[in-house]
């Protein structure tokens, strides 16, 4: 399939089924598999394609945090792909990938893959934009693989986070579809 045809089909699918866009600010406390604490924050942008009850969701994230195990700060960028649905109460689940730059004596890159699930609830309507503000929890689990090829099973670096999510659904034209 040519690139132009794929873009045309994507736009046509959005017009038929609906689409949405959102921005999120997320803050988390976490623990790794060795019991060491950490904290993390992320800013994310997501786009959804499909009906209100079930949409394909994809997004990009940037952020950073502190790991007690590493005794270091880190910055990250990542992507998430999954599904979402709902109107006043929304849910989302998906797989994620992130690349962390650990700022220690030298910058060390670490890859992480994982899963996340969240439930958010509307608390402010923005009628002019047909948008809403949502608030709710998110749970995530990630396995970190450093650039030397060590997996979480050998390094003990599984990360578990409990997040607080503030989400601004900037537009949602799948309402009523």
């Amino acid at each position: 399939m040519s690139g132009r045809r794929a873009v045309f089909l994507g736009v046509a699918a959005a017009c038929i089924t609906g689409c949405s866009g959102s921005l999120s600010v997320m803050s988390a406390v976490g623990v790794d598999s060795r019991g060491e604490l950490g904290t993390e924050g992320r800013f994310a942008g997501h786009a959804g394609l499909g009906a209100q009850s079930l949409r394909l969701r994809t997004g990009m994230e940037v952020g950073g945090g502190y790991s007690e195990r590493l005794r270091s700060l880190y910055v990250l960028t990542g992507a998430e792909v999954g599904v979402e649905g709902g109107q006043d109460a929304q849910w989302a689940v998906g797989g994620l990938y992130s690349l962390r730059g650990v700022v220690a004596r030298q910058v060390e890159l670490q890859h992480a893959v994982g899963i996340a699930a969240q439930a958010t609830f509307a608390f402010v309507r923005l009628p002019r934009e047909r948008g809403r503000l949502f608030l709710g929890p998110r749970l995530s689990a990630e396995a970190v693989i450093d650039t030397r090829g060590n997996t979480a099973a050998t390094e003990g670096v599984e990360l578990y986070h409990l997040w607080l999510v503030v989400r601004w659904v900037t537009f949602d034209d799948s309402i009523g579809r």
Side-chain angles (χ1 to χ4, degrees):
M1 176 182 305
S2 73
R4 287 183 186 166
R5 179 180 274 172
V7 169
F8 176 76
L9 290 175
V11 170
C15 292
I16 293 169
T17 63
C19 57
S20 68
S22 67
L23 300 173
S24 300
V25 176
M26 303 179 283
S27 179
V29 295
V31 63
D32 69 17
S33 53
R34 294 184 181 171
E36 300 284 344
L37 297 177
T39 184
E40 192 169 299
R42 294 186 186 189
F43 178 77
H46 289 94
L49 175 64
Q52 186 178 26
S53 59
L54 183 64
R55 288 189 286 263
L56 176 64
R57 175 182 190 213
T58 184
M60 296 294 296
E61 303 174 345
V62 295
Y66 176 78
S67 168
E68 184 63 31
R69 183 184 64 80
L70 299 172
R71 305 230 188 302
S72 179
L73 296 172
Y74 59 88
V75 295
L76 65 89
T77 184
E80 182 176 351
V81 175
V83 293
E84 69 178 4
Q87 185 173 349
D88 291 329
Q90 294 189 343
W91 57 271
V93 295
L96 50 98
Y97 165 81
S98 63
L99 177 65
R100 288 174 165 79
V102 178
V103 184
R105 290 179 289 280
Q106 60 185 11
V107 175
E108 178 184 324
L109 296 179
Q110 296 179 335
H111 303 276
V113 293
I115 58 172
Q118 72 184 40
T120 55
F121 306 91
F123 68 97
V124 174
R125 292 189 188 275
L126 306 169
R128 184 173 184 178
E129 298 143 356
R130 293 184 64 194
R132 296 184 190 105
L133 289 177
F134 289 79
L135 181 69
R138 173 182 170 103
L139 296 172
S140 67
E142 297 178 74
V144 176
I145 304 166
D146 69 23
T147 54
R148 295 181 301 270
N150 297 320
T151 65
T154 60
E155 290 292 307
V157 228
E158 294 93 13
L159 303 174
Y160 307 96
H161 286 105
L162 173 61
W163 300 85
L164 177 63
V165 177
V166 177
R167 184 173 183 223
W168 173 34
V169 176
T170 56
F171 64 92
D172 186 351
D173 70 355
S174 66
I175 292 176
R177 294 184 192 209

